[in-house]
Amino acid sequence: MARKLGISNWRNLSKDKVLKFAAAMPEMATEARLELIEQFPAFKDLGKADIDAVAEAHKSTLAANENSELFPPSG
């Protein structure tokens, strides 16, 4: 699996590769999935960090949208 993600070992799993890893999990055998997750306890933390980043981007977008409605461009 590490080769499929283009990493030499699991310590090199970056945030962008976590999503690819998660997407590939349904293709794996159940035992293989469980073993990988046991070997990679920080998987949950990386996933949570990604979700938190998306939530912050969403909040920022909503705030920018609200500001644009309050002060429409003149012209």
Coordinates of all heavy atoms in Angstrom, one line a residue:
M1 N 0.8 -1.2 0.0 CA 0.0 0.0 0.0 C 0.9 1.3 0.0 O 0.5 2.2 -0.6 CB -0.9 0.0 1.2 CG -1.9 1.1 1.2 SD -2.8 1.2 -0.3 CE -4.3 1.8 0.2
A2 N 2.0 1.2 0.7 CA 2.8 2.4 0.8 C 3.4 2.7 -0.6 O 3.4 3.9 -1.0 CB 4.0 2.2 1.8
R3 N 3.7 1.7 -1.4 CA 4.2 1.9 -2.7 C 3.1 2.5 -3.6 O 3.4 3.4 -4.4 CB 4.7 0.6 -3.4 CG 6.1 0.3 -3.0 CD 6.6 -0.9 -3.7 NE 6.4 -2.0 -2.8 CZ 6.0 -3.2 -3.1 NH1 5.7 -3.5 -4.4 NH2 5.8 -4.1 -2.2
K4 N 1.9 2.1 -3.4 CA 0.8 2.6 -4.2 C 0.5 4.1 -3.9 O 0.2 4.9 -4.8 CB -0.5 1.8 -3.9 CG -1.7 2.2 -4.7 CD -2.9 1.2 -4.5 CE -4.0 1.5 -5.4 NZ -5.1 0.6 -5.2
L5 N 0.8 4.5 -2.7 CA 0.7 5.9 -2.3 C 1.9 6.8 -2.7 O 1.9 8.0 -2.5 CB 0.4 6.1 -0.8 CG -0.9 5.5 -0.4 CD1 -1.0 5.5 1.2 CD2 -2.0 6.4 -0.9
G6 N 3.0 6.1 -3.1 CA 4.2 6.8 -3.5 C 5.1 7.2 -2.3 O 5.7 8.3 -2.3
I7 N 5.0 6.5 -1.2 CA 5.8 6.8 0.0 C 6.7 5.6 0.3 O 6.3 4.5 0.0 CB 4.9 7.2 1.2 CG1 3.9 6.0 1.5 CG2 4.2 8.5 1.0 CD1 3.1 6.3 2.8
S8 N 7.8 5.9 0.9 CA 8.7 4.8 1.3 C 8.4 4.1 2.6 O 8.6 2.9 2.7 CB 10.2 5.3 1.3 OG 10.3 6.3 2.3
N9 N 7.8 4.8 3.5 CA 7.3 4.2 4.7 C 6.1 5.0 5.3 O 5.9 6.1 4.8 CB 8.4 4.0 5.8 CG 9.0 5.3 6.2 OD1 8.3 6.2 6.5 ND2 10.3 5.4 6.1
W10 N 5.4 4.5 6.3 CA 4.2 5.2 6.8 C 4.5 6.5 7.5 O 3.6 7.4 7.6 CB 3.4 4.3 7.7 CG 2.8 3.1 6.9 CD1 3.2 1.8 6.9 CD2 1.8 3.2 6.0 NE1 2.5 1.1 6.1 CE2 1.5 1.9 5.5 CE3 0.9 4.3 5.6 CZ2 0.6 1.7 4.5 CZ3 0.0 4.0 4.6 CH2 -0.2 2.7 4.1
R11 N 5.7 6.7 7.9 CA 6.1 8.0 8.5 C 6.0 9.1 7.5 O 5.9 10.3 7.9 CB 7.5 8.0 9.2 CG 7.5 7.1 10.5 CD 8.8 7.2 11.1 NE 9.7 6.4 10.1 CZ 10.8 5.9 10.5 NH1 11.3 6.0 11.7 NH2 11.6 5.2 9.6
N12 N 6.1 8.8 6.2 CA 6.1 9.8 5.2 C 4.7 10.1 4.7 O 4.5 10.8 3.6 CB 7.0 9.4 4.0 CG 8.4 9.3 4.4 OD1 8.9 10.0 5.3 ND2 9.2 8.4 3.8
L13 N 3.7 9.6 5.3 CA 2.3 9.8 4.9 C 1.9 11.2 5.2 O 1.8 11.6 6.4 CB 1.4 8.8 5.6 CG -0.1 8.8 5.1 CD1 -0.1 8.4 3.6 CD2 -0.9 7.8 6.0
S14 N 1.7 12.0 4.2 CA 1.3 13.4 4.4 C -0.2 13.5 4.4 O -0.9 12.6 4.1 CB 1.9 14.2 3.2 OG 1.3 13.8 2.0
K15 N -0.6 14.7 4.7 CA -2.1 14.9 4.9 C -2.8 14.7 3.5 O -3.9 14.1 3.5 CB -2.4 16.4 5.3 CG -2.0 16.6 6.8 CD -2.4 18.0 7.2 CE -2.0 18.2 8.7 NZ -2.3 19.5 9.1
D16 N -2.2 15.1 2.4 CA -2.9 14.9 1.1 C -2.9 13.4 0.8 O -3.9 12.9 0.1 CB -2.2 15.7 0.0 CG -0.8 15.2 -0.2 OD1 0.0 15.1 0.7 OD2 -0.4 15.1 -1.4
K17 N -2.0 12.6 1.2 CA -2.0 11.2 1.0 C -3.0 10.4 1.9 O -3.4 9.3 1.5 CB -0.6 10.6 1.1 CG 0.5 11.2 0.2 CD 0.7 10.5 -1.0 CE 1.8 11.3 -1.8 NZ 2.3 10.6 -2.9
V18 N -3.3 11.0 3.0 CA -4.3 10.4 3.9 C -5.6 10.1 3.2 O -6.2 9.1 3.4 CB -4.4 11.2 5.2 CG1 -5.6 10.7 6.0 CG2 -3.2 11.2 6.1
L19 N -6.0 11.1 2.4 CA -7.3 11.0 1.7 C -7.2 9.9 0.7 O -8.2 9.1 0.5 CB -7.7 12.3 1.1 CG -8.0 13.4 2.1 CD1 -8.3 14.7 1.3 CD2 -9.1 13.1 3.0
K20 N -6.1 9.8 0.0 CA -5.9 8.7 -1.0 C -5.9 7.3 -0.3 O -6.5 6.4 -0.7 CB -4.6 8.9 -1.8 CG -4.7 10.0 -2.7 CD -3.3 10.1 -3.5 CE -3.4 11.3 -4.4 NZ -2.1 11.5 -5.1
F21 N -5.3 7.3 0.9 CA -5.2 6.1 1.7 C -6.6 5.7 2.1 O -7.0 4.5 2.0 CB -4.3 6.3 2.9 CG -4.3 5.2 3.9 CD1 -3.8 4.0 3.6 CD2 -4.9 5.4 5.2 CE1 -3.8 3.0 4.6 CE2 -4.9 4.4 6.1 CZ -4.4 3.1 5.8
A22 N -7.4 6.6 2.6 CA -8.8 6.3 3.1 C -9.6 5.9 1.9 O -10.4 5.0 2.1 CB -9.4 7.6 3.7
A23 N -9.5 6.5 0.8 CA -10.3 6.1 -0.4 C -9.9 4.7 -0.9 O -10.8 4.0 -1.4 CB -10.0 7.1 -1.5
A24 N -8.7 4.2 -0.7 CA -8.3 2.9 -1.1 C -8.6 1.8 -0.1 O -8.6 0.6 -0.5 CB -6.8 2.9 -1.3
M25 N -9.0 2.2 1.1 CA -9.3 1.2 2.1 C -10.4 0.2 1.7 O -10.3 -1.0 2.0 CB -9.6 1.8 3.5 CG -8.3 2.4 4.1 SD -8.6 3.0 5.7 CE -8.5 1.4 6.6
P26 N -11.5 0.6 1.1 CA -12.5 -0.4 0.7 C -12.0 -1.5 -0.2 O -12.6 -2.6 -0.2 CB -13.6 0.4 0.0 CG -13.4 1.8 0.5 CD -11.9 1.9 0.8
E27 N -10.9 -1.3 -0.9 CA -10.4 -2.2 -1.8 C -9.5 -3.3 -1.1 O -9.2 -4.3 -1.7 CB -9.5 -1.5 -2.9 CG -10.2 -0.5 -3.7 CD -9.3 0.3 -4.6 OE1 -8.1 0.0 -4.7 OE2 -9.8 1.3 -5.1
M28 N -9.2 -3.0 0.2 CA -8.3 -3.9 0.9 C -9.1 -5.0 1.7 O -10.3 -4.8 2.0 CB -7.6 -3.1 2.0 CG -6.7 -2.1 1.6 SD -6.2 -1.2 3.1 CE -4.9 -0.3 2.5
A29 N -8.5 -6.1 2.0 CA -9.1 -7.1 2.8 C -9.3 -6.5 4.2 O -8.5 -5.7 4.7 CB -8.2 -8.3 2.8
T30 N -10.3 -7.0 4.9 CA -10.6 -6.5 6.3 C -9.4 -6.6 7.2 O -9.1 -5.7 7.9 CB -11.8 -7.2 6.8 OG1 -12.9 -7.0 5.9 CG2 -12.2 -6.7 8.2
E31 N -8.8 -7.8 7.2 CA -7.6 -8.0 8.1 C -6.5 -7.0 7.8 O -5.9 -6.5 8.7 CB -7.1 -9.4 8.0 CG -8.0 -10.5 8.6 CD -8.2 -10.2 10.1 OE1 -7.2 -10.0 10.8 OE2 -9.4 -10.3 10.5
A32 N -6.3 -6.8 6.5 CA -5.2 -5.8 6.1 C -5.5 -4.4 6.6 O -4.6 -3.7 7.1 CB -5.0 -5.8 4.6
R33 N -6.8 -4.0 6.5 CA -7.2 -2.7 6.9 C -7.0 -2.6 8.4 O -6.4 -1.5 8.9 CB -8.7 -2.5 6.7 CG -9.0 -2.1 5.2 CD -10.4 -1.8 5.1 NE -11.1 -3.0 5.0 CZ -12.4 -3.2 4.6 NH1 -13.1 -2.1 4.4 NH2 -12.9 -4.3 4.5
L34 N -7.4 -3.6 9.2 CA -7.2 -3.5 10.6 C -5.7 -3.5 11.0 O -5.3 -2.7 11.9 CB -7.9 -4.7 11.3 CG -9.4 -4.7 11.2 CD1 -10.0 -6.0 11.7 CD2 -10.0 -3.5 11.9
E35 N -4.9 -4.2 10.4 CA -3.5 -4.2 10.7 C -2.8 -2.9 10.4 O -2.0 -2.4 11.1 CB -2.8 -5.3 9.9 CG -3.0 -6.7 10.5 CD -2.3 -7.8 9.7 OE1 -1.3 -7.5 9.1 OE2 -2.8 -8.9 9.7
L36 N -3.2 -2.3 9.2 CA -2.7 -1.0 8.9 C -3.1 0.1 9.9 O -2.3 0.9 10.3 CB -3.1 -0.6 7.5 CG -2.4 -1.2 6.3 CD1 -3.1 -0.9 5.0 CD2 -1.0 -0.7 6.3
I37 N -4.3 0.1 10.3 CA -4.8 1.1 11.2 C -4.1 0.9 12.6 O -3.8 1.9 13.2 CB -6.4 1.0 11.4 CG1 -7.0 1.5 10.1 CG2 -6.8 1.8 12.5 CD1 -8.5 1.3 10.0
E38 N -3.9 -0.3 13.0 CA -3.2 -0.6 14.3 C -1.8 -0.1 14.2 O -1.2 0.4 15.2 CB -3.2 -2.1 14.6 CG -4.5 -2.6 15.1 CD -4.5 -4.1 15.2 OE1 -3.5 -4.8 15.0 OE2 -5.6 -4.6 15.5
Q39 N -1.1 -0.2 13.0 CA 0.2 0.3 12.9 C 0.3 1.8 12.7 O 1.4 2.4 12.8 CB 0.9 -0.4 11.7 CG 1.1 -1.8 11.8 CD 1.7 -2.4 10.5 OE1 2.2 -1.7 9.7 NE2 1.5 -3.7 10.4
F40 N -0.8 2.4 12.5 CA -0.8 3.9 12.2 C -1.8 4.6 13.1 O -2.8 5.1 12.7 CB -1.1 4.1 10.7 CG -0.9 5.5 10.3 CD1 0.4 6.0 10.2 CD2 -2.0 6.3 9.9 CE1 0.6 7.3 9.8 CE2 -1.7 7.6 9.5 CZ -0.5 8.1 9.4
P41 N -1.5 4.7 14.4 CA -2.4 5.3 15.4 C -2.7 6.7 15.1 O -3.7 7.2 15.6 CB -1.8 5.0 16.7 CG -0.3 4.8 16.5 CD -0.3 4.2 15.1
A42 N -1.9 7.4 14.5 CA -2.1 8.9 14.2 C -3.0 9.1 13.1 O -3.3 10.3 12.7 CB -0.7 9.6 14.0
F43 N -3.5 8.1 12.4 CA -4.5 8.2 11.3 C -5.7 9.1 11.7 O -6.0 10.0 10.9 CB -4.9 6.8 10.8 CG -5.9 6.9 9.7 CD1 -5.4 7.2 8.4 CD2 -7.2 6.6 9.8 CE1 -6.3 7.3 7.3 CE2 -8.1 6.6 8.8 CZ -7.6 6.9 7.5
K44 N -6.2 8.8 12.8 CA -7.4 9.6 13.3 C -7.0 11.1 13.5 O -7.8 11.9 13.1 CB -7.9 9.0 14.6 CG -9.0 9.8 15.3 CD -9.3 9.4 16.7 CE -8.2 9.7 17.5 NZ -8.3 10.7 18.6
D45 N -5.8 11.3 14.0 CA -5.4 12.7 14.2 C -5.2 13.5 12.9 O -5.6 14.6 12.8 CB -4.1 12.7 15.1 CG -4.3 12.2 16.5 OD1 -5.5 12.2 17.0 OD2 -3.3 11.7 17.0
L46 N -4.6 12.8 11.9 CA -4.5 13.4 10.6 C -5.8 13.7 10.0 O -6.0 14.8 9.4 CB -3.6 12.6 9.7 CG -2.1 12.6 10.0 CD1 -1.4 11.6 9.1 CD2 -1.5 13.9 9.8
G47 N -6.7 12.8 10.1 CA -8.1 13.0 9.5 C -8.8 14.1 10.2 O -9.4 14.9 9.5
K48 N -8.7 14.2 11.5 CA -9.3 15.3 12.3 C -8.7 16.6 11.9 O -9.4 17.6 11.7 CB -9.2 15.0 13.8 CG -9.9 16.1 14.6 CD -9.9 15.8 16.0 CE -10.6 16.8 16.9 NZ -10.7 18.2 16.4
A49 N -7.4 16.7 11.7 CA -6.7 17.9 11.3 C -7.2 18.4 9.9 O -7.5 19.6 9.7 CB -5.2 17.7 11.3
D50 N -7.4 17.4 9.0 CA -7.9 17.8 7.7 C -9.4 18.3 7.8 O -9.7 19.3 7.2 CB -7.9 16.6 6.8 CG -6.5 16.2 6.3 OD1 -5.6 17.0 6.5 OD2 -6.3 15.0 5.9
I51 N -10.2 17.7 8.6 CA -11.6 18.1 8.8 C -11.6 19.5 9.4 O -12.4 20.4 9.0 CB -12.4 17.1 9.6 CG1 -12.4 15.8 8.9 CG2 -13.7 17.6 10.0 CD1 -13.6 15.3 8.4
D52 N -10.7 19.7 10.4 CA -10.7 21.0 11.1 C -10.3 22.1 10.1 O -10.8 23.2 10.1 CB -9.7 21.0 12.3 CG -10.2 20.2 13.4 OD1 -11.4 19.8 13.4 OD2 -9.4 19.8 14.3
A53 N -9.3 21.8 9.2 CA -8.9 22.8 8.2 C -10.0 23.1 7.2 O -10.2 24.3 6.9 CB -7.7 22.2 7.4
V54 N -10.8 22.1 6.8 CA -11.9 22.4 5.9 C -13.0 23.2 6.7 O -13.5 24.1 6.1 CB -12.5 21.0 5.4 CG1 -13.8 21.3 4.7 CG2 -11.5 20.3 4.5
A55 N -13.2 22.9 7.9 CA -14.2 23.7 8.7 C -13.7 25.2 8.8 O -14.6 26.1 8.7 CB -14.4 23.1 10.1
E56 N -12.5 25.4 9.1 CA -12.0 26.8 9.1 C -12.1 27.5 7.8 O -12.5 28.7 7.8 CB -10.5 26.8 9.6 CG -10.3 26.6 11.1 CD -11.0 27.7 11.9 OE1 -10.9 28.9 11.6 OE2 -11.8 27.3 12.8
A57 N -11.8 26.8 6.7 CA -11.9 27.4 5.4 C -13.4 27.7 5.1 O -13.7 28.8 4.5 CB -11.4 26.5 4.3
H58 N -14.3 26.9 5.5 CA -15.7 27.1 5.4 C -16.2 28.4 6.1 O -16.9 29.2 5.6 CB -16.5 25.9 5.8 CG -18.0 26.0 5.6 ND1 -18.6 26.1 4.4 CD2 -19.0 26.1 6.6 CE1 -19.9 26.2 4.6 NE2 -20.1 26.2 5.9
K59 N -15.7 28.5 7.4 CA -16.1 29.6 8.2 C -15.6 30.9 7.6 O -16.3 31.9 7.5 CB -15.5 29.5 9.6 CG -16.2 28.5 10.5 CD -15.5 28.5 11.9 CE -16.0 27.3 12.7 NZ -15.2 27.3 14.0
S60 N -14.3 30.9 7.1 CA -13.7 32.0 6.4 C -14.5 32.4 5.2 O -14.8 33.6 4.9 CB -12.3 31.7 6.0 OG -11.7 32.8 5.3
T61 N -15.0 31.4 4.4 CA -15.8 31.7 3.2 C -17.1 32.3 3.6 O -17.5 33.3 2.9 CB -16.0 30.4 2.4 OG1 -14.7 29.9 2.0 CG2 -16.8 30.7 1.2
L62 N -17.7 31.8 4.6 CA -19.0 32.4 5.0 C -18.9 33.8 5.5 O -19.7 34.7 5.2 CB -19.6 31.5 6.2 CG -20.1 30.1 5.7 CD1 -20.6 29.4 7.0 CD2 -21.2 30.2 4.7
A63 N -17.8 34.1 6.3 CA -17.5 35.4 6.7 C -17.3 36.4 5.6 O -17.8 37.5 5.5 CB -16.4 35.5 7.7
A64 N -16.5 36.0 4.6 CA -16.2 36.8 3.4 C -17.5 37.0 2.6 O -17.8 38.2 2.2 CB -15.2 36.1 2.5
N65 N -18.4 36.0 2.5 CA -19.6 36.2 1.8 C -20.5 37.2 2.6 O -21.2 38.0 1.9 CB -20.3 34.8 1.7 CG -21.6 34.9 0.8 OD1 -21.6 35.6 -0.2 ND2 -22.6 34.3 1.2
E66 N -20.6 37.1 3.9 CA -21.4 38.0 4.7 C -20.9 39.4 4.5 O -21.7 40.4 4.3 CB -21.4 37.6 6.1 CG -22.3 38.4 7.0 CD -22.3 38.0 8.4 OE1 -22.4 36.7 8.7 OE2 -22.1 38.8 9.3
N67 N -19.6 39.6 4.5 CA -19.0 41.0 4.3 C -19.4 41.5 2.9 O -19.6 42.7 2.8 CB -17.5 41.0 4.5 CG -17.2 40.8 6.0 OD1 -18.0 41.1 6.9 ND2 -16.0 40.3 6.2
S68 N -19.4 40.7 1.9 CA -19.6 41.2 0.6 C -21.1 41.5 0.4 O -21.5 42.4 -0.4 CB -19.3 40.1 -0.5 OG -20.1 39.0 -0.4
E69 N -22.0 40.9 1.2 CA -23.4 41.3 1.1 C -23.6 42.6 1.9 O -24.5 43.4 1.5 CB -24.3 40.2 1.8 CG -24.3 38.9 0.9 CD -25.1 37.8 1.6 OE1 -25.6 38.0 2.8 OE2 -25.2 36.7 1.0
L70 N -22.9 42.9 2.9 CA -23.0 44.1 3.6 C -22.5 45.3 2.9 O -23.0 46.4 3.0 CB -22.3 44.0 5.0 CG -22.9 43.1 6.0 CD1 -21.9 43.0 7.2 CD2 -24.3 43.5 6.4
F71 N -21.4 45.1 2.1 CA -20.8 46.2 1.4 C -20.6 45.7 -0.1 O -19.6 45.4 -0.6 CB -19.4 46.5 1.9 CG -19.4 46.8 3.4 CD1 -19.0 45.9 4.4 CD2 -19.8 48.1 3.8 CE1 -19.0 46.2 5.7 CE2 -19.9 48.4 5.1 CZ -19.5 47.5 6.1
P72 N -21.7 45.8 -0.9 CA -21.7 45.4 -2.3 C -20.7 46.3 -3.1 O -20.6 47.5 -2.7 CB -23.1 45.5 -2.8 CG -23.8 46.4 -1.8 CD -23.0 46.3 -0.5
P73 N -20.1 45.8 -4.1 CA -19.2 46.7 -4.9 C -20.0 47.8 -5.6 O -21.2 47.6 -6.0 CB -18.7 45.7 -6.0 CG -19.5 44.5 -5.9 CD -20.2 44.5 -4.6
S74 N -19.4 49.0 -5.6 CA -20.1 50.1 -6.2 C -19.7 50.1 -7.7 O -18.6 49.7 -8.1 CB -19.6 51.4 -5.6 OG -18.2 51.6 -5.7
G75 N -20.6 50.7 -8.5 CA -20.2 50.7 -9.9 C -21.3 50.7 -10.8 O -22.4 50.6 -10.9

